[in-house]
Amino acid sequence: MALELLHPITADLRLARQLADLADEISMRYFTARDLGVYVKEDRTHVTDGDRAVERAIRQRLEQERPSDSVFGEEYGTQGTSRRQWIIDPIDGTANFMRGVPIWATLISLVIDGRPEVGVVSAPALNRRWWGATGLGAYLDDDLADSNTATDRRIEVSGVESFDKAQISYGSLKYWQEEASVEPILELNKRAWRSRTIGDFWPYMLVAEGAFDLACEVGLQPYDLAALVPIIEEAGGTFTAIDGAEGPWHGTALATNGLLHEAALALFRS
């Protein structure tokens, strides 16, 4: 614990978790509202009053706490040019959020010199929050309702070494058809023990927990991915694009327990 308190990223992780507390309070209010405003953006994706309110609140808090840092959010773009950039997805899973499906989360990341160093994924409707920071490990809190209870537990990826024992998730088949190719997904399905098409943040967190062994997806943005990277890597996993490029900047994601990563990359490259 003493070493963690001395770690230079500790204060940023603490702030990120406080931002998640703020986001949860706002998002849950909108999630249960009967008059939720839903709109269609220029890219034909949806945005709700909840998305906008959460991002505004996080930005306001960051202006107070980290005025020199840059901020990049899904709804309001980029502000500032600092080497320290907070990346925010106020509601990852907006389609679920607006339909009353509880699989959505606020994603908060601190990226320093292009590398995600802090990640928080908070899913209050599921009563779960994950976080990780470089050198500090990855953790899960599955009792958000009681902040006085020490329920945080360290998480780690699975030890599954072959596809025939692996549980995988690949997002939406439609996106693979539109953005890439379905052939690797069909091959993964043939080789894997089980597959599930859970989308958005959750399959990646299940990889970090060791419940899933591989998650992949296409048609993504940095705010969809940045917060996932420190959590997966600190849990012992590996995160790249499907072509092996590092980081959340390439529009695709491949997260594994590490043991399956090279075999998965070889499949995508073929």
Side-chain angles (χ1 to χ4, degrees):
M1 180 61 70
L3 288 176
E4 292 184 4
L5 292 174
L6 293 174
H7 197 287
I9 210 73
T10 299
D12 293 312
L13 175 59
R14 184 183 304 113
L15 175 58
R17 294 176 65 185
Q18 292 170 352
L19 294 173
D21 290 339
L22 174 65
D24 288 355
E25 180 182 353
I26 297 169
S27 61
M28 285 300 290
R29 225 168 37 229
Y30 281 94
F31 184 57
T32 56
R34 295 189 176 185
D35 58 347
L36 177 68
V38 179
Y39 316 95
V40 179
K41 297 188 286 189
E42 291 183 2
D43 63 1
R44 295 185 294 175
T45 62
H46 291 90
V47 62
T48 72
D49 291 335
D51 296 74
R52 292 169 174 172
V54 169
E55 185 168 328
R56 285 196 302 267
I58 292 175
R59 285 175 176 270
Q60 289 169 3
R61 182 66 62 84
L62 285 171
E63 285 178 6
Q64 298 169 1
E65 301 290 341
R66 298 290 190 275
S68 299
D69 291 356
S70 171
V71 181
F72 169 34
E74 178 176 6
E75 306 307 333
Y76 296 105
T78 303
Q79 175 183 346
T81 58
S82 171
R83 58 184 281 269
R84 289 170 45 94
Q85 183 176 64
W86 295 85
I87 299 183
I88 306 159
D89 189 343
I91 304 289
D92 184 54
T94 297
N96 286 337
F97 183 81
M98 70 186 196
R99 294 293 299 271
V101 180
I103 304 173
W104 52 270
T106 296
L107 276 52
I108 301 166
S109 179
L110 174 62
V111 175
I112 302 176
D113 294 328
R115 176 175 172 76
E117 301 286 358
V118 172
V120 176
V121 174
S122 195
L126 294 176
N127 197 31
R128 298 171 86 81
R129 180 183 296 174
W130 302 261
W131 68 89
T134 301
L136 294 179
Y139 296 83
L140 165 67
D141 180 354
D142 53 6
D143 189 8
L144 299 182
D146 188 355
S147 59
N148 296 316
T149 303
T151 58
D152 308 347
R153 60 182 173 88
R154 193 155 186 168
I155 55 176
E156 61 182 19
V157 296
S158 74
V160 171
E161 297 181 344
S162 60
F163 284 127
D164 64 338
K165 295 180 177 63
Q167 182 159 247
I168 69 168
S169 179
Y170 53 87
S172 168
L173 192 61
K174 178 181 178 181
Y175 287 160
W176 286 95
Q177 292 171 324
E178 294 175 348
E179 303 281 345
S181 169
V182 298
E183 295 305 319
I185 299 306
L186 296 177
E187 185 61 28
L188 272 174
N189 269 276
K190 291 178 184 178
R191 298 187 188 187
W193 167 55
R194 290 177 90 228
S195 66
R196 292 293 180 266
T197 58
I198 303 170
D200 304 309
F201 68 95
W202 204 7
Y204 300 94
M205 297 300 93
L206 290 172
V207 170
E209 288 183 45
F212 278 20
D213 310 296
L214 178 153
C216 57
E217 208 168 350
V218 293
L220 301 169
Q221 298 294 331
Y223 48 72
D224 296 314
L225 303 174
L228 313 179
V229 177
I231 300 172
I232 290 166
E233 292 184 344
E234 286 297 309
T238 302
F239 184 101
T240 67
I242 61 173
D243 64 359
E246 295 184 358
W249 314 110
H250 311 288
T252 67
L254 173 63
T256 74
N257 62 2
L259 300 172
L260 298 174
H261 209 82
E262 287 304 319
L265 285 176
L267 192 154
F268 283 115
R269 288 166 176 160
S270 67

PDB file of all heavy atoms in Angstrom, residues 11 34 41 51 57 62 80 85 101 132 134-135 142-143 182 203 219 227 232 236 246 258 261:
ATOM      1  N   ALA A  11      -2.701   9.840  -7.726  1.00  0.00           N
ATOM      2  CA  ALA A  11      -3.631  10.962  -7.615  1.00  0.00           C
ATOM      3  C   ALA A  11      -4.546  11.034  -8.829  1.00  0.00           C
ATOM      4  O   ALA A  11      -5.734  11.360  -8.705  1.00  0.00           O
ATOM      5  CB  ALA A  11      -2.859  12.267  -7.453  1.00  0.00           C
ATOM      6  N   ARG A  34     -38.362   8.834 -17.582  1.00  0.00           N
ATOM      7  CA  ARG A  34     -39.337   8.454 -18.607  1.00  0.00           C
ATOM      8  C   ARG A  34     -39.328   9.412 -19.790  1.00  0.00           C
ATOM      9  O   ARG A  34     -39.885   9.090 -20.842  1.00  0.00           O
ATOM     10  CB  ARG A  34     -40.739   8.401 -17.997  1.00  0.00           C
ATOM     11  CG  ARG A  34     -40.902   7.318 -16.937  1.00  0.00           C
ATOM     12  CD  ARG A  34     -42.351   7.164 -16.531  1.00  0.00           C
ATOM     13  NE  ARG A  34     -42.514   6.070 -15.578  1.00  0.00           N
ATOM     14  CZ  ARG A  34     -43.680   5.644 -15.130  1.00  0.00           C
ATOM     15  NH1 ARG A  34     -44.806   6.221 -15.541  1.00  0.00           N
ATOM     16  NH2 ARG A  34     -43.744   4.654 -14.264  1.00  0.00           N
ATOM     17  N   LYS A  41     -27.151  11.934 -34.328  1.00  0.00           N
ATOM     18  CA  LYS A  41     -26.039  12.797 -34.717  1.00  0.00           C
ATOM     19  C   LYS A  41     -25.784  12.708 -36.222  1.00  0.00           C
ATOM     20  O   LYS A  41     -26.385  11.896 -36.927  1.00  0.00           O
ATOM     21  CB  LYS A  41     -24.787  12.400 -33.935  1.00  0.00           C
ATOM     22  CG  LYS A  41     -24.939  12.591 -32.427  1.00  0.00           C
ATOM     23  CD  LYS A  41     -23.636  12.384 -31.689  1.00  0.00           C
ATOM     24  CE  LYS A  41     -23.228  10.941 -31.587  1.00  0.00           C
ATOM     25  NZ  LYS A  41     -22.066  10.733 -30.689  1.00  0.00           N
ATOM     26  N   ASP A  51     -25.910  11.317 -22.090  1.00  0.00           N
ATOM     27  CA  ASP A  51     -24.543  11.386 -22.610  1.00  0.00           C
ATOM     28  C   ASP A  51     -23.973  12.794 -22.420  1.00  0.00           C
ATOM     29  O   ASP A  51     -22.846  12.973 -21.935  1.00  0.00           O
ATOM     30  CB  ASP A  51     -24.520  11.059 -24.109  1.00  0.00           C
ATOM     31  CG  ASP A  51     -24.946   9.644 -24.437  1.00  0.00           C
ATOM     32  OD1 ASP A  51     -26.159   9.355 -24.358  1.00  0.00           O
ATOM     33  OD2 ASP A  51     -24.085   8.827 -24.785  1.00  0.00           O
ATOM     34  N   ALA A  57     -20.399  17.417 -17.079  1.00  0.00           N
ATOM     35  CA  ALA A  57     -20.024  17.399 -15.667  1.00  0.00           C
ATOM     36  C   ALA A  57     -18.569  16.981 -15.478  1.00  0.00           C
ATOM     37  O   ALA A  57     -17.846  17.562 -14.661  1.00  0.00           O
ATOM     38  CB  ALA A  57     -20.954  16.455 -14.903  1.00  0.00           C
ATOM     39  N   LEU A  62     -12.839  18.469 -14.403  1.00  0.00           N
ATOM     40  CA  LEU A  62     -11.446  18.477 -14.859  1.00  0.00           C
ATOM     41  C   LEU A  62     -10.907  19.894 -15.004  1.00  0.00           C
ATOM     42  O   LEU A  62      -9.721  20.143 -14.762  1.00  0.00           O
ATOM     43  CB  LEU A  62     -11.324  17.724 -16.190  1.00  0.00           C
ATOM     44  CG  LEU A  62     -11.409  16.198 -16.091  1.00  0.00           C
ATOM     45  CD1 LEU A  62     -11.498  15.576 -17.475  1.00  0.00           C
ATOM     46  CD2 LEU A  62     -10.212  15.630 -15.328  1.00  0.00           C
ATOM     47  N   GLY A  80      -7.680  21.711 -25.653  1.00  0.00           N
ATOM     48  CA  GLY A  80      -6.320  21.742 -25.146  1.00  0.00           C
ATOM     49  C   GLY A  80      -5.375  20.863 -25.947  1.00  0.00           C
ATOM     50  O   GLY A  80      -5.793  20.036 -26.763  1.00  0.00           O
ATOM     51  N   GLN A  85      -3.783  13.849 -21.601  1.00  0.00           N
ATOM     52  CA  GLN A  85      -5.122  14.001 -22.158  1.00  0.00           C
ATOM     53  C   GLN A  85      -6.100  13.027 -21.505  1.00  0.00           C
ATOM     54  O   GLN A  85      -5.866  11.823 -21.465  1.00  0.00           O
ATOM     55  CB  GLN A  85      -5.106  13.761 -23.675  1.00  0.00           C
ATOM     56  CG  GLN A  85      -6.458  13.984 -24.335  1.00  0.00           C
ATOM     57  CD  GLN A  85      -6.408  13.826 -25.839  1.00  0.00           C
ATOM     58  OE1 GLN A  85      -6.126  12.748 -26.339  1.00  0.00           O
ATOM     59  NE2 GLN A  85      -6.662  14.905 -26.560  1.00  0.00           N
ATOM     60  N   VAL A 101     -31.643  -1.188 -21.481  1.00  0.00           N
ATOM     61  CA  VAL A 101     -30.768  -2.342 -21.273  1.00  0.00           C
ATOM     62  C   VAL A 101     -29.607  -1.902 -20.373  1.00  0.00           C
ATOM     63  O   VAL A 101     -28.952  -0.890 -20.670  1.00  0.00           O
ATOM     64  CB  VAL A 101     -30.238  -2.880 -22.614  1.00  0.00           C
ATOM     65  CG1 VAL A 101     -29.321  -4.074 -22.381  1.00  0.00           C
ATOM     66  CG2 VAL A 101     -31.392  -3.242 -23.542  1.00  0.00           C
ATOM     67  N   GLY A 132      -7.881   0.402 -13.573  1.00  0.00           N
ATOM     68  CA  GLY A 132      -6.489  -0.030 -13.587  1.00  0.00           C
ATOM     69  C   GLY A 132      -5.599   1.149 -13.893  1.00  0.00           C
ATOM     70  O   GLY A 132      -6.034   2.140 -14.496  1.00  0.00           O
ATOM     71  N   THR A 134      -1.176   1.963 -14.706  1.00  0.00           N
ATOM     72  CA  THR A 134       0.130   1.374 -14.952  1.00  0.00           C
ATOM     73  C   THR A 134       0.915   1.205 -13.650  1.00  0.00           C
ATOM     74  O   THR A 134       1.143   2.154 -12.909  1.00  0.00           O
ATOM     75  CB  THR A 134       0.931   2.257 -15.924  1.00  0.00           C
ATOM     76  OG1 THR A 134       0.200   2.389 -17.149  1.00  0.00           O
ATOM     77  CG2 THR A 134       2.293   1.648 -16.210  1.00  0.00           C
ATOM     78  N   GLY A 135       1.280  -0.036 -13.373  1.00  0.00           N
ATOM     79  CA  GLY A 135       2.057  -0.341 -12.186  1.00  0.00           C
ATOM     80  C   GLY A 135       1.249  -0.555 -10.926  1.00  0.00           C
ATOM     81  O   GLY A 135       1.810  -0.920  -9.878  1.00  0.00           O
ATOM     82  N   ASP A 142     -17.770  -4.676  -7.222  1.00  0.00           N
ATOM     83  CA  ASP A 142     -19.089  -5.132  -7.632  1.00  0.00           C
ATOM     84  C   ASP A 142     -20.138  -4.864  -6.555  1.00  0.00           C
ATOM     85  O   ASP A 142     -21.121  -5.583  -6.414  1.00  0.00           O
ATOM     86  CB  ASP A 142     -19.086  -6.615  -8.011  1.00  0.00           C
ATOM     87  CG  ASP A 142     -18.509  -7.503  -6.926  1.00  0.00           C
ATOM     88  OD1 ASP A 142     -18.220  -6.987  -5.823  1.00  0.00           O
ATOM     89  OD2 ASP A 142     -18.344  -8.704  -7.181  1.00  0.00           O
ATOM     90  N   ASP A 143     -19.911  -3.779  -5.787  1.00  0.00           N
ATOM     91  CA  ASP A 143     -20.905  -3.319  -4.823  1.00  0.00           C
ATOM     92  C   ASP A 143     -20.848  -1.801  -4.743  1.00  0.00           C
ATOM     93  O   ASP A 143     -20.465  -1.219  -3.725  1.00  0.00           O
ATOM     94  CB  ASP A 143     -20.662  -3.949  -3.448  1.00  0.00           C
ATOM     95  CG  ASP A 143     -21.798  -3.668  -2.478  1.00  0.00           C
ATOM     96  OD1 ASP A 143     -22.829  -3.115  -2.919  1.00  0.00           O
ATOM     97  OD2 ASP A 143     -21.663  -3.977  -1.292  1.00  0.00           O
ATOM     98  N   VAL A 182     -15.761 -11.014 -42.424  1.00  0.00           N
ATOM     99  CA  VAL A 182     -16.340 -11.972 -41.474  1.00  0.00           C
ATOM    100  C   VAL A 182     -15.536 -13.261 -41.407  1.00  0.00           C
ATOM    101  O   VAL A 182     -15.743 -14.080 -40.499  1.00  0.00           O
ATOM    102  CB  VAL A 182     -17.805 -12.301 -41.832  1.00  0.00           C
ATOM    103  CG1 VAL A 182     -18.665 -11.060 -41.754  1.00  0.00           C
ATOM    104  CG2 VAL A 182     -17.905 -12.965 -43.196  1.00  0.00           C
ATOM    105  N   PRO A 203     -17.365  -7.225 -22.772  1.00  0.00           N
ATOM    106  CA  PRO A 203     -16.516  -8.394 -23.038  1.00  0.00           C
ATOM    107  C   PRO A 203     -15.043  -8.152 -22.714  1.00  0.00           C
ATOM    108  O   PRO A 203     -14.335  -9.078 -22.300  1.00  0.00           O
ATOM    109  CB  PRO A 203     -16.735  -8.663 -24.529  1.00  0.00           C
ATOM    110  CG  PRO A 203     -17.265  -7.407 -25.086  1.00  0.00           C
ATOM    111  CD  PRO A 203     -18.061  -6.773 -23.994  1.00  0.00           C
ATOM    112  N   GLY A 219     -14.694  -0.924 -36.183  1.00  0.00           N
ATOM    113  CA  GLY A 219     -15.548   0.252 -36.260  1.00  0.00           C
ATOM    114  C   GLY A 219     -15.576   1.053 -34.971  1.00  0.00           C
ATOM    115  O   GLY A 219     -16.624   1.541 -34.560  1.00  0.00           O
ATOM    116  N   ALA A 227      -9.875   3.622 -22.135  1.00  0.00           N
ATOM    117  CA  ALA A 227     -10.010   3.221 -20.732  1.00  0.00           C
ATOM    118  C   ALA A 227      -9.833   1.720 -20.536  1.00  0.00           C
ATOM    119  O   ALA A 227      -9.498   1.263 -19.438  1.00  0.00           O
ATOM    120  CB  ALA A 227     -11.373   3.658 -20.197  1.00  0.00           C
ATOM    121  N   ILE A 232      -6.972  -4.057 -18.912  1.00  0.00           N
ATOM    122  CA  ILE A 232      -6.626  -5.355 -19.496  1.00  0.00           C
ATOM    123  C   ILE A 232      -5.151  -5.671 -19.290  1.00  0.00           C
ATOM    124  O   ILE A 232      -4.785  -6.783 -18.886  1.00  0.00           O
ATOM    125  CB  ILE A 232      -6.992  -5.375 -20.994  1.00  0.00           C
ATOM    126  CG1 ILE A 232      -8.512  -5.377 -21.143  1.00  0.00           C
ATOM    127  CG2 ILE A 232      -6.375  -6.580 -21.694  1.00  0.00           C
ATOM    128  CD1 ILE A 232      -8.993  -5.066 -22.531  1.00  0.00           C
ATOM    129  N   GLY A 236      -2.944  -8.553 -16.738  1.00  0.00           N
ATOM    130  CA  GLY A 236      -2.066  -9.561 -17.318  1.00  0.00           C
ATOM    131  C   GLY A 236      -2.368  -9.890 -18.761  1.00  0.00           C
ATOM    132  O   GLY A 236      -1.732 -10.776 -19.338  1.00  0.00           O
ATOM    133  N   GLU A 246      -0.250  -1.195 -31.551  1.00  0.00           N
ATOM    134  CA  GLU A 246      -0.494  -0.949 -30.140  1.00  0.00           C
ATOM    135  C   GLU A 246      -1.388   0.266 -29.928  1.00  0.00           C
ATOM    136  O   GLU A 246      -1.429   1.179 -30.738  1.00  0.00           O
ATOM    137  CB  GLU A 246       0.835  -0.753 -29.396  1.00  0.00           C
ATOM    138  CG  GLU A 246       1.714  -2.000 -29.382  1.00  0.00           C
ATOM    139  CD  GLU A 246       2.966  -1.802 -28.561  1.00  0.00           C
ATOM    140  OE1 GLU A 246       3.168  -0.686 -28.030  1.00  0.00           O
ATOM    141  OE2 GLU A 246       3.750  -2.754 -28.454  1.00  0.00           O
ATOM    142  N   GLY A 258      -3.421 -12.892 -23.372  1.00  0.00           N
ATOM    143  CA  GLY A 258      -1.996 -12.883 -23.706  1.00  0.00           C
ATOM    144  C   GLY A 258      -1.549 -14.194 -24.311  1.00  0.00           C
ATOM    145  O   GLY A 258      -0.810 -14.207 -25.307  1.00  0.00           O
ATOM    146  N   HIS A 261      -2.911 -14.449 -27.905  1.00  0.00           N
ATOM    147  CA  HIS A 261      -2.841 -13.249 -28.740  1.00  0.00           C
ATOM    148  C   HIS A 261      -2.150 -13.484 -30.079  1.00  0.00           C
ATOM    149  O   HIS A 261      -2.664 -13.072 -31.132  1.00  0.00           O
ATOM    150  CB  HIS A 261      -2.149 -12.111 -27.981  1.00  0.00           C
ATOM    151  CG  HIS A 261      -2.623 -10.756 -28.414  1.00  0.00           C
ATOM    152  ND1 HIS A 261      -3.781 -10.187 -27.932  1.00  0.00           N
ATOM    153  CD2 HIS A 261      -2.127  -9.871 -29.319  1.00  0.00           C
ATOM    154  CE1 HIS A 261      -3.969  -9.009 -28.496  1.00  0.00           C
ATOM    155  NE2 HIS A 261      -2.965  -8.800 -29.343  1.00  0.00           N
TER     156      HIS A 261
END
